[in-house]
Amino acid sequence: MKNWPAKILFARLSTGTKMLLILSAAMLPLGFIALLTSLDMARSASAERETAAQITTAMYAAQADAVVNVGLDAVRSPVVSTQPADDLCTALARQARLNPSGRPPTALFDREGRKLCQSWGPSIPSIAASDPSVDHVWLDPEGRRFRFTSARGDASLRAEADIPVRAIALGGQRKEGLPLTRLSLRQGQSEVILIDRRLPNNDRDELLRLSQPVGDGRLAIIAEYRLAPARARTMLLVMLPILMWAAAAFTGWFIVNRLLLFPLAQLKQSIDAWQGAGGPLLLPRMTTPSHEIRDLTDSFAAVSTRIYQHERELEEGLARQTKLTREVHHRVKNNLQVVSSLINLHARGAEGAVADAYGAIQRRVDALAVVHRNHYAELEENRGVSMRALAGELAASLRASAPASAAGMPIALNMIDVNVTQDVAVPVAFLITEVVELLMHCNPQGSVLISLEATGEPERATLRIETVGLVGDTLGDYPGIGRFDRVVTGIARQFRSPLTQDLDAGRFEIQISILA
């Protein structure tokens, strides 16, 4: 009974939390074992890397030893010989001629330090050794070279040689070792750097410095290796149990959420994204072992299929209706073209007033055809009729059917780019036709300007038709002015706006509705 409150508290936890606690407790011993194993492996890996660094340093020292031995052999060979100096010089010259790269440049000096000869290469200056009875090796930091000297016991002959430090073959570093940052040769205070790969922040890194003697202790080769920061390894080892606990938590989340709740979330997203008209409802493949979720998915799929089929039927009906509308517009356009052609044929055989009447009728039929053609062109996008295109085609038609007295009358346009409905486009076309025809009869030598300007209201524009060069009261004296006034007044009623007429100036102005 003492553990009863803890049992109640555990029972109130969610299934995911329970699984998290159980799996965490089960994984704790394994995590502790893994921690100890990682520590041992890290120590072993560190020891292996340090051993590899020692082997690499010994390899560099052996390569330097080989170069030093070559130099010492080059200076010892002449001095141990009992031949005269002239014979030795001849032998050095012959050797340099036959195999110049076989030995380094070697020079022979007498007791007073005068150079007797030199095998090849740059001139070798004399070096005064403190103890002529001992072979010497010097490191020249400025010239980056080794200097070798050896003398006979009676000091009657001394041999000297130079070898550049670049003769040391610096092979590739062992990949399993530590990164080499610096390699140098040192003799007392003299030092020649062979490799320097230090970065600006290397000073903060922990370095391993190893030293190996070269030339029987005459020199030393010093190598520096960069150690991996210990804190990184320590943090990784400390985080290892936490990572194992996270793996256990992920397992519990995967079982509870991934296999049960995630399929439901996928189903909800698919239903939210489905619009009904883009195709049947595409549901994700349910891999959950829960057959209830799979049955629910099948039910949604069946309902979406029925809705999609209904939408398809509506779309097909709309497509048939649109096709029918196009056919009607096409037939009306063809009929207007036939009527215009018949009027044109009859007008060719008429003269005088009859021909003028045919021309007036044809211009009005052409105006209606222009409106219909522009409306049909804009039908697909449903943006209305473009006033600029309508006025342009109408002006071209009026110039083509103008009376003989007004042939070639210029008609200029100054239109803002706006669209209007067909109910506005038809009376606009008739108004332009009536006014331009009147101006052709009254001022055949003048010109016409049709303009459309914006007003202060967003859906209103001012249509203005005016002529240039009108003389006297020509419009007022025109015999058909009364009929013209009745016609344009009737057309203006369709705009629900008054028509302003200035017969003296030949200007007609009215406001029309435009599409925003």
Side-chain angles (χ1 to χ4, degrees):
M1 297 297 293
K2 294 182 179 180
N3 296 330
W4 184 251
K7 293 180 179 180
I8 295 177
L9 181 61
F10 184 80
R12 291 179 179 178
L13 296 177
S14 63
T15 303
T17 305
K18 292 177 183 177
M19 296 185 66
L20 174 63
L21 295 176
I22 294 173
L23 290 174
S24 299
M27 294 290 291
L28 185 59
L30 296 178
F32 183 71
I33 295 173
L35 175 62
L36 296 178
T37 303
S38 299
L39 288 172
D40 291 339
M41 291 178 62
R43 284 194 292 266
S44 300
S46 177
E48 289 178 1
R49 287 193 294 269
E50 292 183 6
T51 302
Q54 293 174 356
I55 295 174
T56 302
T57 305
M59 178 187 67
Y60 289 140
Q63 293 168 353
D65 267 328
V67 174
V68 171
N69 290 334
V70 169
L72 291 175
D73 289 342
V75 296
R76 285 172 179 169
S77 297
V79 300
V80 298
S81 175
T82 59
Q83 295 179 353
D86 294 339
D87 294 342
L88 292 175
C89 287
T90 302
L92 288 177
R94 183 173 61 254
Q95 182 184 6
R97 185 173 61 254
L98 297 178
N99 186 15
S101 60
R103 286 182 177 273
T106 306
L108 298 180
F109 298 87
D110 59 8
R111 190 186 305 273
E112 285 75 19
R114 292 189 298 269
K115 181 185 289 187
L116 301 177
C117 61
Q118 181 174 336
S119 61
W120 62 281
S123 177
I124 300 175
S126 175
I127 300 177
S130 58
D131 186 3
S133 62
V134 180
D135 299 335
H136 292 277
V137 179
W138 284 279
L139 183 63
D140 183 6
E142 295 181 358
R144 295 182 61 83
R145 59 185 175 176
F146 295 105
R147 302 296 306 275
F148 303 92
T149 179
S150 180
R152 288 179 175 175
D154 56 358
S156 61
L157 183 68
R158 188 173 72 254
E160 296 186 10
D162 284 358
I163 299 180
V165 294
R166 65 173 179 271
I168 300 176
L170 300 177
Q173 182 187 356
R174 296 167 61 93
K175 295 182 179 179
E176 64 272 14
L178 298 172
L180 178 64
T181 60
R182 195 169 188 268
L183 183 68
S184 62
L185 279 169
R186 183 174 295 176
Q187 186 181 42
Q189 300 299 321
S190 301
E191 184 180 23
V192 174
I193 298 175
L194 303 178
I195 297 176
D196 192 357
R197 299 172 181 166
R198 290 181 299 182
L199 299 176
N201 60 350
N202 280 158
D203 294 339
R204 296 192 297 268
D205 294 340
E206 186 178 352
L207 298 176
L208 173 64
R209 183 176 286 104
L210 300 176
S211 177
Q212 287 284 341
V214 175
D216 296 331
R218 296 182 178 92
L219 301 94
I221 191 164
I222 299 174
E224 293 182 359
Y225 300 89
R226 186 172 64 250
L227 297 173
R231 55 182 180 275
R233 295 196 302 270
T234 303
M235 289 296 296
L236 178 61
L237 294 175
V238 171
M239 290 294 294
L240 185 60
I242 301 177
L243 294 176
M244 296 180 65
W245 174 84
F250 174 79
T251 303
W253 171 85
F254 183 82
I255 294 174
V256 176
N257 295 317
R258 186 73 179 179
L259 299 182
L260 296 178
L261 300 182
F262 183 72
L264 293 177
Q266 284 184 306
L267 181 60
K268 179 180 180 301
Q269 291 176 358
S270 300
I271 295 173
D272 293 340
W274 182 59
Q275 299 298 326
L281 177 60
L282 299 177
L283 295 175
R285 182 180 178 183
M286 298 298 176
T287 57
T288 176
S290 175
H291 66 86
E292 292 85 1
I293 297 179
R294 293 197 298 269
D295 294 342
L296 180 62
T297 303
D298 295 339
S299 299
F300 274 114
V303 171
S304 68
T305 302
R306 290 196 296 269
I307 295 176
Y308 175 69
Q309 292 175 352
H310 181 65
E311 292 289 341
R312 292 286 294 176
E313 293 175 358
L314 293 179
E315 289 178 359
E316 292 175 359
L318 181 60
R320 288 194 298 268
Q321 184 67 29
T322 303
K323 184 177 179 181
L324 205 70
T325 303
R326 291 198 192 100
E327 182 66 23
V328 170
H329 277 279
H330 184 67
R331 290 181 181 274
V332 171
K333 183 179 68 173
N334 291 344
N335 291 337
L336 288 174
Q337 186 65 37
V338 171
V339 171
S340 178
S341 300
L342 290 174
I343 293 174
N344 188 26
L345 290 174
H346 286 285
R348 291 179 184 177
E351 297 179 355
V354 177
D356 293 340
Y358 275 124
I361 295 173
Q362 185 177 6
R363 282 188 287 274
R364 285 152 182 79
V365 173
D366 288 343
L368 184 60
V370 169
V371 173
H372 189 80
R373 185 162 56 251
N374 281 272
H375 176 68
Y376 179 73
E378 299 293 338
L379 184 63
E380 295 297 332
E381 298 183 9
N382 197 21
R383 294 186 292 109
V385 180
S386 172
M387 281 295 299
R388 182 178 293 176
L390 174 65
E393 290 191 34
L394 197 56
S397 177
L398 290 172
R399 280 194 297 266
S401 62
S405 59
M409 171 184 280
I411 301 177
L413 301 177
N414 182 22
M415 313 285 292
I416 61 175
D417 190 11
V418 294
N419 295 345
V420 297
T421 62
Q422 187 182 17
D423 294 336
V424 175
V426 172
V428 164
F430 283 136
L431 179 62
I432 293 176
T433 302
E434 294 291 340
V435 174
V436 172
E437 184 182 88
L438 175 65
L439 298 177
M440 285 180 176
H441 286 292
C442 297
N443 189 22
Q445 303 302 321
S447 61
V448 177
L449 173 63
I450 305 174
S451 59
L452 184 66
E453 301 175 353
T455 62
E457 302 179 28
E459 296 183 357
R460 303 288 289 178
T462 301
L463 175 64
R464 185 182 299 108
I465 309 169
E466 54 188 329
T467 184
V468 179
L470 187 63
V471 179
D473 193 15
T474 307
L475 293 181
D477 296 337
Y478 181 64
I481 191 66
R483 176 181 54 82
F484 168 80
D485 186 65
R486 290 193 300 273
V487 172
V488 297
T489 301
I491 294 175
R493 291 195 187 99
Q494 300 185 45
F495 296 113
R496 294 180 177 85
S497 179
L499 175 65
T500 303
Q501 304 183 47
D502 188 350
L503 299 180
D504 295 334
R507 182 183 300 110
F508 300 85
E509 185 177 314
I510 192 171
Q511 286 193 359
I512 64 173
S513 300
I514 61 175
L515 296 177

